[in-house]
Amino acid sequence: MPQPRDTQLRFLLPTAGVRGVAVHLDATWQAIAARNHCPQAAAGLLGEACAAAALLTGHVKVDGRLSVQLRSPGAIGTLFAECTATGSLRGIVRLREDAGPVVADLRALGAESLLAITIENPSLRGDGEPVRYQGLVALQAEHLDAALEGYFLQSEQLPTRLLLASDGQQATGLLLQALPGDGGDDDGFRRASALFDTLQADELLALPPAEVVHRLFHEEAPELLGEKPLHFGCSCSRARVEAMLVSLGREEADAAVAANQGTAAVHCEFCGQDYSFDAAQVAAVFAQAADAHPAAAGLQ
């Protein structure tokens, strides 16, 4: 029976005191890539970011969604990858036409470039306002996996290893981290890290997560903790677009209607869905929101 290709696998190396996550994106990555027409280097980075988002949702507690976002003054203006608790992924990359070619080295994006990891969970009070946590790290590494290793060292202060790989058809990742506390023997993480170093990117791309874990760590008697299917999906909706219009304000929404022959049009760049509102629909949206707290604007 063929193993699922779009999947997230969590595992434990109990003797070594190491936990891990392995991710493989196949059709999911192809759906995201088809919506982002960009140079190979930018597409490769987006694929790695999507794999990283899927890895991190298996590593930390996420009840809503987790995003990996890169902002820079360089050729890649914005890169955004998101994975939800239910396993849906989306991603987007936007380039600056006047900033030169995209290169594989992240340090070429400029000293002011930042990597942001954001977790958005449902409200604890049930009032509809999500709870957000965000960590930022400067991009001082050549590759995204090394930058994320630096992020974990800075934020969690636990030894962490990551390998990310992407091509036109697949995006994959592997994460290892020492368990907090006194779990495992003194040499455990060093052993696991040495085995990790034997893995090449082409092997990670070619093998399903369970086989990657077995081939690398069979001597450590890995425990498979659970596998989750992953798929392409967008969180945009008419309700979210209505909330965005309210946050813009009535004057700006009416101006958009007037400027576009009587219809305000909103296009989701993640999935391609179009939303339109005529003057009467805009008025109804603001009337309905008059007594409600408007949602914050942001990436839809």
Side-chain angles (χ1 to χ4, degrees), residues 29 54 57 61 71 99 139 159 165 190 197 222 255 260 264 275 277:
W29 166 233
T57 58
K61 182 171 177 55
R71 292 189 181 276
L139 281 180
R190 188 203 62 78
D197 284 334
N260 197 39
Y275 300 91
F277 299 82

Side-chain angles (χ1 to χ4, degrees), residues 44 47-48 51 145 163-167 170-173 200-202 204-205:
E48 291 180 5
D145 43 20
L163 178 63
L164 300 169
S166 175
D167 61 19
Q170 301 161 105
T172 57
Q200 301 298 315
D202 57 351
L204 188 60
L205 287 166

